[in-house]
């Protein structure tokens, strides 16, 4: 079955430190991977998708099909990055997404 | 652009009572999703609509849950009767017509339900 695993429930880092939020997926086909973010009191919103290969708010993520991973990285964390981050797996078109359980990132000043 | 609109934002009811949630998607979005998010979990699909047709409702507990999207625009999700375990956040999302790759899903603010 298709599954997304985010091993860390909570990740705390100091401001200016590098951040890596881990995401592994289970899917035998051609996956489409996403990172969604939910800031405090805001709705879930798309942060980035692997197909676009762009950096958003300093975050990047590379799809590694060999390791079935899509880890989210940022070289220097900022306080405003504190939020819930969800990794999601898509199957094309308008199919529903399969989400991981999320990782709460806390950036400490 | 108002984005996906949901109401109410919060709802507290006693068990065995009925409850309904409403969602208005982004204008022009033909696909509408209802997701359930339990505490400490990611969203999980309940039902997906393409216009007014439910095309994926395998995860909807049909003994107590029902949904409709009569005119292919806004949608209502109902629970009758509610149980304690239904306490969760109910998310609505919408996406544009299929253009090839996975369409971006835009989420509403959610309805937080507490069943006492």
């Amino acid at each position: 079955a298709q599954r997304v695993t985010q091993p860390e429930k909570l990740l705390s880092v100091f401001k200016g430190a590098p951040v890596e939020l881990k995401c592994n997926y289970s899917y035998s086909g051609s996956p489409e991977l996403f990172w969604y973010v939910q800031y405090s009191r805001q709705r879930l919103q798309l942060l980035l998708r692997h197909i676009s290969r762009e950096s958003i708010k300093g975050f990047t993520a590379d799809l590694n099909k060999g390791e079935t991973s899509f880890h989210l990285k940022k070289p220097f964390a900022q306080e405003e990055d504190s939020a819930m981050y969800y990794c999601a797996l898509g199957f094309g078109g308008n199919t529903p997404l399969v989400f991981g359980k999320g990782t709460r990132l806390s950036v400490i000043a | 652009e108002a984005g996906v609109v949901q109401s109410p934002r919060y709802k507290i009811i006693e068990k065995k009572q009925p409850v309904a949630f409403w969602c208005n998607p982004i204008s022009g979005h033909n696909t509408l999703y209802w997701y359930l998010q339990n505490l400490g979990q990611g969203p999980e699909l309940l039902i997906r609509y393409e216009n007014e047709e439910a095309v994926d409702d395998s995860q909807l507990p049909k003994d107590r849950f029902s949904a409709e999207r009569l005119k292919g625009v806004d949608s209502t999700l109902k629970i009758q009767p509610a149980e304690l375990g239904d306490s969760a956040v109910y998310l609505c999302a919408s996406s544009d017509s299929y253009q090839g790759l996975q369409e971006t899903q835009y989420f509403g603010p959610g309805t937080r339900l507490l069943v006492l």
Side-chain angles (χ1 to χ4, degrees):
Chain A
Q2 299 92 357
R3 187 169 60 246
V4 174
T5 302
Q6 292 181 251
E8 305 129 333
K9 290 184 70 173
L10 173 65
L11 184 64
S12 296
V13 301
F14 285 103
K15 178 182 174 181
V19 173
E20 182 178 50
L21 285 77
K22 291 184 168 50
C23 171
N24 287 90
Y25 65 90
S26 173
Y27 179 53
S28 58
S30 295
E32 295 193 44
L33 275 298
F34 305 80
W35 277 99
Y36 275 78
V37 61
Q38 188 167 25
Y39 300 103
S40 180
R41 303 190 207 292
Q42 294 188 27
R43 64 186 65 193
L44 199 59
Q45 58 187 285
L46 180 66
L47 178 63
L48 54 80
R49 55 194 298 169
H50 90 274
I51 202 73
S52 60
R53 300 186 65 82
E54 57 187 348
S55 172
I56 305 294
K57 298 185 179 183
F59 285 97
T60 59
D62 290 318
L63 177 61
N64 185 324
K65 292 187 178 180
E67 296 184 356
T68 60
S69 67
F70 188 57
H71 303 328
L72 184 67
K73 300 177 183 179
K74 184 170 183 177
F76 307 104
Q78 303 299 314
E79 289 179 75
E80 55 265 31
D81 296 329
S82 295
M84 278 294 297
Y85 291 81
Y86 294 93
C87 183
L89 173 63
F91 312 96
N94 288 311
T95 56
L97 297 172
V98 173
F99 286 86
K101 293 185 178 182
T103 297
R104 179 171 297 282
L105 175 64
S106 177
V107 181
I108 305 163
Chain B
E1 182 74 76
V4 177
V5 179
Q6 290 187 248
S7 69
R9 294 291 310 277
Y10 306 92
K11 189 73 176 180
I12 301 175
I13 60 171
E14 293 187 346
K15 63 181 180 181
K16 301 185 181 180
Q17 295 299 305
V19 64
F21 314 123
W22 177 80
C23 172
N24 190 262
I26 291 173
S27 178
H29 281 190
N30 296 328
T31 307
L32 184 147
Y33 314 77
W34 283 102
Y35 286 90
L36 167 67
Q37 186 172 21
N38 286 304
L39 188 65
Q41 305 291 318
E44 297 176 354
L45 181 77
L46 285 172
I47 189 168
R48 173 171 63 111
Y49 281 93
E50 292 291 345
N51 298 301
E52 65 273 11
E53 182 182 0
V55 296
D56 188 348
D57 64 354
S58 58
Q59 301 302 311
L60 189 73
K62 298 182 181 63
D63 57 336
R64 298 184 299 107
F65 286 66
S66 64
E68 61 183 17
R69 193 184 185 199
L70 294 176
K71 297 182 179 179
V73 180
D74 55 351
S75 175
T76 302
L77 177 68
K78 299 178 182 178
I79 308 175
Q80 183 171 13
E83 296 179 351
L84 296 177
D86 297 331
S87 297
V89 176
Y90 292 81
L91 294 169
C92 180
S94 70
S95 62
D96 206 345
S97 299
Y98 173 59
Q99 300 291 336
L101 296 173
Q102 181 88 34
E103 293 301 317
T104 298
Q105 295 181 23
Y106 297 87
F107 284 81
T111 296
R112 186 175 297 274
L113 173 68
L114 178 60
V115 182
L116 302 176

